Amino acid sequence: MPINYYIFLALALFCIGVIGVLTRRNAIIIFMCIELMLNAANLLLVAFSKLHTQVSALPTAGSDAQIFVFFIMVVAAAEVSVGLAIIVMMYRNTHSVDVNFLNRLKN
Amino acid sequence: MSITQILFWLLSALAVGGAIMVVASKSPVHSILFLIITFFAISGHYILLNAQFLAIVNVIVYAGAIMVLFLFVVMLMNLNEESAPPQKNKYILYGGTIAGASLMLVLVAALKQSSQGRYLMDINSGTGGLIENLGKLLFTDYVFPFEISSVLFLSAMIGAVVISKKEA
Amino acid sequence: MDQDISITFPHVLIFFPLLAGLITFFLKKDATVKSWALFSSIITLCVSLGSLYYANNKALSGLTFNYEWLKYIGASFSVSLDGMGRILTLLTALSFPIIFVATYKNQYKNTNSFYGLMLLTQAGLMGVFLASDALLFYFFWELAIIPVYFLCSKWGGEKRIQATFKFFIYTFTGSLLMLVGIIYIYLQTAATQDAAGKIISAHSFAINYFYAAQLTVDQQSWLFWLFFIAFAIKMPVFPFHTWQPDTYEQSPSAVTMVLSGVMVKMGLFGVVRWLLPMFPLAVAKFDTVVIILSVIGIVYASLLAIKQDDLKRLVAYSSIAHIGLMSATIFATKQIGLEGVMIQMFNHGINIIGLWIVIEMMEQQLGVRKISQLSGVAHKAPVLTIMLVVIGFANIALPLTNAFVGEFMMFSGLFQFNSWIAVVALVSIILAAVYTLTMVQKVFYGQVNALTTNMKEISVNAQIALSIIVVAIFLSGIYPQPLFDLTKDTVTAIITRFK
Amino acid sequence: MAVSANMNAIILTAVWGIVMMFGGAFFKQKSTPKYWAIAGLALVIIANCYELFKLDPKGVEHGNLFPVEIKGMLTFDSFNLLFITLVLICTLFLFLLNGRDIEKVGNNVSEYFALIFFVLCGVSIAATYNTLLTLFLGIEILSIPLYILTGSDKRNLKSNEAALKYFLMGSFSTGILLMGIAFIYGGNTGTPTFYINNINLGTGKLPVMIGIGLVFLLIAMVFKVSAAPFHFWAPDVYDGAPTVFTSFMATIVKAGGFIAFIRLFEHAFGTAQQQWQILIAIITAATLLIGNLTAVFQQSVKRMLAYSSIAQAGFMLLSIFAINQFAKEGVILYTAAYSLATIGLFAVLIKMSDYTIDGFNGLAKQQPVLAFTATICLLSLTGVPLTAGFQAKLFMLIAAVNDGHQNWLVVFAVLCAAISAYYYFKIIQAIYFKESTSAVQQWDVTPAFKVLLIITAALILILGIWPSLIIDWLYY
Amino acid sequence: MSNTLQIVWLIPFLPLIGFLINGLGRNHLSKSLTGLIGSGVILGSFLISLFVFFQVKNGNTHVAHYFDFINTASLKVGFDFQVDQLSSLFLLIITGVGFLIHVYSTSYMHEEPSKDFAKYFAYLNLFVFSMLLLVMGANYIIMFIGWEGVGLCSYLLIGFWFKDNANNDAAKKAFIMNRIGDFGFLLAVFWLIAKLGTTDYHQVFALAIDTQKILLTPFDIGGITLLLFLGATGKSAQIPLYTWLPDAMAGPTPVSALIHAATMVTAGIYMIARSNILFTMAPLTQSVIAIIGLATAVVAATIALKQNDIKKVLAYSTVSQLGYMFLGLGVGAYTGAVFHVMTHAFFKALLFLGAGSVIHAMGGEQDMRNMGGLKKYMSITHITFLLGCLAIAGMPPFSGFFSKDEILAEAFAKNPVYWGIGVLTAFMTAFYMFRLYAMTFLGKFRGTHDQEHHLHESPAAITIPLIVLAILAFVGGWIGMPKVFMPNGHRLEAFLEPIFAKSNEHVAALGTAHELSHTTEYALMAISVVGALIALLYAWNKFSKYEKTSEEETGLAKAISNKWYVDELYNAVIVKPVQSIAGFFSNVVEKRGIDGFVNGVGKAVNYGSRQIRLLQTGQVSAYMLMMVVAILILFIIQLFL
């Protein structure tokens, strides 16, 4: 199974995430798409870790990437808590999470 | 075509399809559910890649905690339909899609020629991703980032508190 | 690089006005401010006169002072006083007391900041003329502008803000381009070493390193323009001159005197001190272009001067014409021409300050500068008239006035470069006569009109200032030799570089 | 590689953040947290300076109070130690000048301080990271509290909007950053690792994966330093955020981003400079152009400063364009000069009742000290000699010319600097040459505030004359 | 340097002193004192000039060096005075005539308030000073100093009554026209410096005729001389720059006498005579000079025929006489030209002063149509004036006859056509001079009654100079007897021989010179004298019974009395275009063009700013879309370019 497949898969997820971010207007869904992007990155890292485990002799070769993924999840969790808090606050004030209405600041 | 390959294609299709649905589906709740499906598929891939620990964490943290949190928020705001009038500026829609797609194209096109991409890797063998290895690593080499990430959490916590506390 | 920290003339010339200016900001009573400013400027004058005695004619040696300032980039606070430096510092030192005396009666609000800024300007100018380190030169080059910017915008005429702003942006842009040039050359210079021969910094800003920098023709060609634009804007040379009439018209007279008397010399100085020696090849390549530009400027400005109705604008354009002649001659790089330029830089300063004082005196009393509104002033203010006539004829380079020798030698330098260009340029002496005499006739002769009936003879200190100028005009007009001797070294240095 | 890295700053900031956090529960008066914060920051600075002084040229350090085994995930040298010290000092100035304005933002004063400390912690990690992991963590620790601080003025819709925009785009860039890291890791043949200085760039043209990863990282970094065309968040966020936090973000955080940027591209990709230089050149040009040009037309000084900060970022990018000794000296100077000036300017701006340029009309009459210091700051931002700003720009230009590949960029940069003079001097005009139109406002300006402003101005001037005061710390 | 002639510096110095005293003390000195100082200093320098003259006559010429005016590596110009035959002669003329005119002025200007009176004398002294510098300078630069100085003084004195703007215009015109001349002069000097590196007469002339190393090609010499001649046309009112001189009559009459008849206008002749060798080596230039001089003579004479302003007539006659002198220079009759300068100085000064006395008596009236029959009121003026007229009309044995005929003879030798036109002009001269004489002194008085009432002979201060000058005008010519009368009667030629020696050698070398036979000379003289006599008599009885008529004259006459419309022509061809070009520049090129461009840059920046800030739409999606596009571009650049 060529590594490329995994790369392409990850890229596909990533780009779908990007498309979502660009096209959707609901802040929450945009945020979810961003999570999707993060996961794409995770998948890629894991795939590479696997790759490196094979390529290099020592058994724990690829595991640093997995640790990294672990940290990414940690960060993601933290981000989510903050992000949702902000979204909620926004919703409290405007009763909408539509990013199209975020245009008080421009030019 | 071995079982692993079948699994690979299956999971990939599941992940991509779920991702597409996340973007496509009108109702936020549905998108969340599709996203959960995608995450499960990704976890499946992790298992294929011998990252068992990550697979578990992924299911627990993402599909479990985070997504539930999302769901909870969406429910709280009960915006199951996009309330606003339909997209006024369509060009963002098309532009976004085209841009994303062409990004994909460019990268794929670039990677196609790369020699590195040709590595064959045999699925499900090796012990790199077992909890004990990772655990050892985490508490020896990676203790510092581990500690530091606590700062991250602290700040996130404070942030959440500051933001959501009612102004007296 | 000697770490000589003994008091030398150059840094007295720079720092005394600087300190005096700073002190001025903290003086309260207007009278004290004025007298202090006058006093300190006179001290400066004495110092610069003193420095003339120590004139030893070796280019760029003479009175130098040197302190390693930013040693890791090889910039040092090194100042030196060669011939051109001497004559221009003398001009700077001389013009300020005259200006202060002439405008002694004027009332500026926030007197202390006005005079403070004036003295800072003087310090900046001194620095420009004394610096023998490129970075230092650029420093002072900018520092001379900033106070002027504030002076003009604060105390100027009604359209002052826009005019000054334009002036500032214009010059600032130019000097930034020059900065790029300086940096580029800096990176071509050799490494500086201390006495032990160990490398202090990879490159140096010192002027002799700049002279020694090995530049190919192509490098010189674009560096030349970077520098030239900065200087051309400052001089100003056609077609970079449009800021000047507006600025002169709008800024307070005292500042106009500084601007036109001394500050325009910065550009000429820059060309002679930096541009010519650094880019001989480029100069050889572009001299005709520049000279033609300048000559166009001469005729063009003279023609415009004929049409002006505002006295200040008239003088501004005539000044553009004179400066154009100087720049043309400089780029001709003929010995006789350069000798002429050297003394003309001094004399032009004196004359034009005189003209401004006369205009200022009339505006003070009558509140107008419009030639069309004035008439028959001579009946009311004969002394003023005589002074004006003398200065006016000096301005059109009548023999035995100071401007003659300079312009004569400049023209003949230009003639030796290319006779036809000289012919075109020489037309300006006719045009100069036209506009000067027309001005004199319309303003001073003829019948007294309703406005000028209440014109009175000018104040005593104005008379003093003007008489100093007139005396200077005749002195250096009848016996210019000392000025030649002062600047011999610079000229020979340049010429030898071009041999 | 040293046993342990610049831990003093990191640990102490983190700890003090916690202290402030818990302090929130105990402090009675609203003004107490400020003093605690100042005290703590002073402590951090002392500790950091101690470390800086004990450093010896060979990079072996003796001043570390917390010898922790970190596997060289952080490294340090005089450069980043000095940088952190500067950043901390600037923050101290911010606290001293605007402490009382932080109190005005909302009720959770001590939490704000806590968050600021966490940001500082993030900055010091981002300044010293040695692996992509710590880079990632540093950036995140630096960003997440900022999202909060931006939105901390909860009633204000602009603040909310700014927070949300910042958050969305910020996490988007995080995604890009991670993608980049992944590709770098994957493309890194030989001994795969996240350590930035044994990334195998190969010889000749970069391997494709590395190339992709590089571009992703580049973009993420460029986003953090708000360079065009990834600057779009900056004006809105700076405009929406409470002014005091804007001042913090626009200076210290941006500088943090730069130091991370420069570390990455010096140590990780320095050897392949030729292959990414053109990208930086393009981005720099775009940033200079958009930043300056857009700033010209702004009526609100706050927003104008936002754009000007983009423009200044463009100038700082020159240091990354040409990574050499001059560039590093330059970036240090630039951080100091730019941060001081901007903080001083914002400090004055906060005191204004009217943020438009006309609001400054006749300031010289009402508040000469404020007027004077604001002018010095503006001159410094313009890059007029005798101010620190000039020295900073000078070094940047020297660095860029010294690199010598894209001289057009340098000329372009100075022309943009000329444009910047255009809008900075509009304010100076308003201050000195225009008469105040509106009624005289109430000023809450304490003598201490004025003194501090004057000190700031004095520092700017001193640095303008003797930049060596800072730079000598790089090599002693 | 123990040469007695070292003291010549006193000659210009005294007038300078006078200028300073009168100028600075003008508010305090009394009129009589002022007049005394003013005339005294001139007398002083006249006496010294006499001494110098005799020194020179005894063959003692000298170049006195005082200090370095310019002394640089590239150019050395000493402040030197050259005393030789030519300059000493001019010294005599200037100081002598000058002195008389000063004396005359003390009475003529007496109505002026003492302040202006002093100013007048200050200017007059200053003029004498500059004129002396002009003739004494030992190099072209010192000459140029005087050259411009006299121009300045003429400017100041023409505009002496500056209340009236007409006078100021005249003054301005004079100065600017002179400037145009200086334009040529300076170019010539630059050319000399560029080629020879010096301006000292001795060196220049030595190098010019140096046949070993040819520093000056014929082209150079031709150019230089032509340019010098351009300078001369300005100063000496030749075509095309003569129009200022008639206007210059706006000044006080003594000024016209001194500056615009006797001395300043002859500066051009002096200059060319001084550099005769150069001109002799440039035959082309010589013929140009001859033709221009001739043309000037004719044109001016024709115009003079119909002028009614007494001073204008004299002015045009001056122009015409100057034309003669240039004809002389053109045909190589340097001695003749200088001779004519001298005689002309006498009789033209006389005529002007006479006219002044008339105007004085008429209370400022200058129009001859309102005069007539004055001879019974003011006899001395009348007699002296008549002598002057005879002298200028070339009647033997008056001075004019000798000088004019010498020139005409040489002209004939060169080219009979020259002579023909010249002699024609002589007839016209006789005609208009006696028209003037008759209209003024003969017939019956045509003025108003109270003018008639005030008519009186002028005071002694006026009449004495008239008498002295009349005598000079009578006998002045005898120092230049033609050879046909007595073999070595031409003392002047003998005296000036060293000056023109080089030229004569050169001509001799070319061998173009050929003596006229005595018979031809007699014939020529006879023709000119007879013709002049006829013209004279015709004018006499035609205008002695002149009546004021008011019929509109037509055709040629109209053109003549309108001075051939030359002023109008210049106005249309030069002044107007320059003005309009200047206007175009200042209104269009400056404002719209150059400044417009500069401001345009600023406008462009503003416009760009207004446009570019529309990028900042406020829409997050739009932002991110733009970012992604940018990412795309970067990737493409990085990966595929």
Side-chain angles (χ1 to χ4, degrees), chain A residues 73-85:
Chain A
M73 289 179 179
V74 167
V75 170
E79 244 182 352
V80 168
S81 61
V82 171
L84 286 178

Side-chain angles (χ1 to χ4, degrees), chain E residues 86-87 90 134-136 143 266-274:
Chain E
L86 189 58
S87 49
F90 270 82
L134 194 160
V135 296
M136 291 173 72
M143 177 194 259
T266 62
I269 291 96
Y270 169 80
M271 184 260 284
I272 293 179
R274 173 56 78 189

Side-chain angles (χ1 to χ4, degrees), chain D residues 83-147:
Chain D
F83 175 83
I84 291 168
T85 323
L86 285 179
V87 164
L88 292 174
I89 291 171
C90 291
T91 321
L92 184 61
F93 268 95
L94 183 74
F95 282 179
L96 292 167
L97 282 167
N98 295 345
R100 304 171 68 240
D101 304 288
I102 296 181
E103 288 158 12
K104 292 209 191 65
V105 173
N107 297 338
N108 319 320
V109 182
S110 54
E111 282 81 356
Y112 301 150
F113 281 111
L115 289 171
I116 290 179
F117 273 105
F118 289 143
V119 174
L120 288 176
C121 178
V123 170
S124 13
I125 295 171
T128 55
Y129 68 89
N130 198 28
T131 78
L132 294 172
L133 176 55
T134 35
L135 165 67
F136 170 63
L137 285 174
I139 295 277
E140 285 304 312
I141 295 173
L142 163 157
S143 314
I144 286 178
L146 285 180
Y147 304 149

Side-chain angles (χ1 to χ4, degrees), chain C residues 220-452:
Chain C
Q220 287 194 12
S221 305
W222 62 274
L223 286 169
F224 174 88
W225 289 110
L226 285 184
F227 276 77
F228 176 72
I229 288 174
F231 296 143
I233 290 173
K234 197 52 142 282
M235 284 194 256
V237 170
F238 177 90
F240 301 99
H241 64 278
T242 48
W243 60 267
Q244 198 189 34
D246 303 347
T247 314
Y248 285 6
E249 187 182 3
Q250 292 303 327
S251 44
S253 302
V255 182
T256 316
M257 295 172 199
V258 178
L259 271 174
S260 56
V262 189
M263 199 157 273
V264 293
K265 308 300 182 303
M266 280 165 65
L268 297 162
F269 172 88
V271 173
V272 178
R273 168 59 53 81
W274 297 94
L275 198 150
L276 290 187
M278 284 193 302
F279 315 128
L281 303 173
V283 170
K285 198 165 152 195
F286 297 121
D287 51 2
T288 326
V289 184
V290 175
I291 290 177
I292 286 174
L293 268 187
S294 317
V295 170
I296 292 175
I298 299 173
V299 178
Y300 177 82
S302 312
L303 281 172
L304 256 63
I306 296 176
K307 272 292 172 195
Q308 299 307 317
D309 190 33
D310 183 311
L311 282 169
K312 278 190 163 187
R313 293 187 79 86
L314 187 148
V315 177
Y317 279 112
S318 93
S319 159
I320 292 175
H322 288 107
I323 297 294
L325 175 58
M326 294 191 216
S327 75
T329 318
I330 289 173
F331 280 97
T333 59
K334 291 276 177 293
Q335 175 138 21
I336 184 166
L338 283 170
E339 284 156 347
V341 171
M342 287 300 148
I343 74 167
Q344 188 62 5
M345 282 206 264
F346 182 79
N347 293 328
H348 171 265
I350 298 294
N351 295 349
I352 198 157
I353 289 176
L355 283 174
W356 289 125
I357 294 176
V358 172
I359 294 170
E360 166 69 2
M361 288 307 124
M362 281 189 296
E363 194 180 3
Q364 284 275 310
Q365 292 195 23
L366 308 176
V368 294
R369 299 193 304 256
K370 289 263 170 291
I371 294 174
S372 50
Q373 298 176 10
L374 295 164
S375 173
V377 173
H379 303 284
K380 296 292 185 177
V383 178
L384 178 67
T385 312
I386 291 167
M387 300 289 189
L388 180 273
V389 170
V390 173
I391 299 167
F393 277 105
N395 192 40
I396 62 179
L398 208 70
L400 294 191
T401 62
N402 53 4
F404 167 68
V405 179
E407 284 204 6
F408 180 85
M409 297 180 79
M410 291 198 289
F411 275 121
S412 81
L414 208 51
F415 188 91
Q416 293 177 16
F417 177 78
N418 176 335
S419 47
W420 291 112
I421 289 179
V423 170
V424 178
L426 199 59
V427 172
S428 67
I429 69 166
I430 302 169
L431 296 173
V434 172
Y435 60 71
T436 311
L437 295 186
T438 317
M439 187 268 283
V440 172
Q441 172 185 354
K442 290 219 179 97
V443 174
F444 291 88
Y445 297 158
Q447 299 288 354
V448 178
N449 67 9
L451 183 67
T452 48

Side-chain angles (χ1 to χ4, degrees), chain E residues 5 22 28 32 34 94-95 118 206 251 339 345 348 418-419 438 451 463 500 517 546 558 601 608 629 632-633:
Chain E
L5 288 179
N22 284 335
H28 318 296
S32 47
T34 315
I94 294 160
T95 51
F339 188 20
K348 186 52 65 71
Y418 291 169
W419 176 82
Q451 278 179 332
T463 48
F500 305 120
S517 69
Y546 171 83
K558 190 150 176 292
V601 173
V629 172
L632 258 175
I633 294 165

Side-chain angles (χ1 to χ4, degrees), chain A residues 52 64 83 93 102 104 107, chain D residues 154 160-161 167 185 303:
Chain A
H52 287 316
D64 51 0
N93 290 331
L102 301 178
R104 286 169 200 76
N107 292 353
Chain D
K154 283 183 280 183
N160 297 346
E161 176 179 341
F167 170 72
Y185 179 78
R303 202 167 172 78

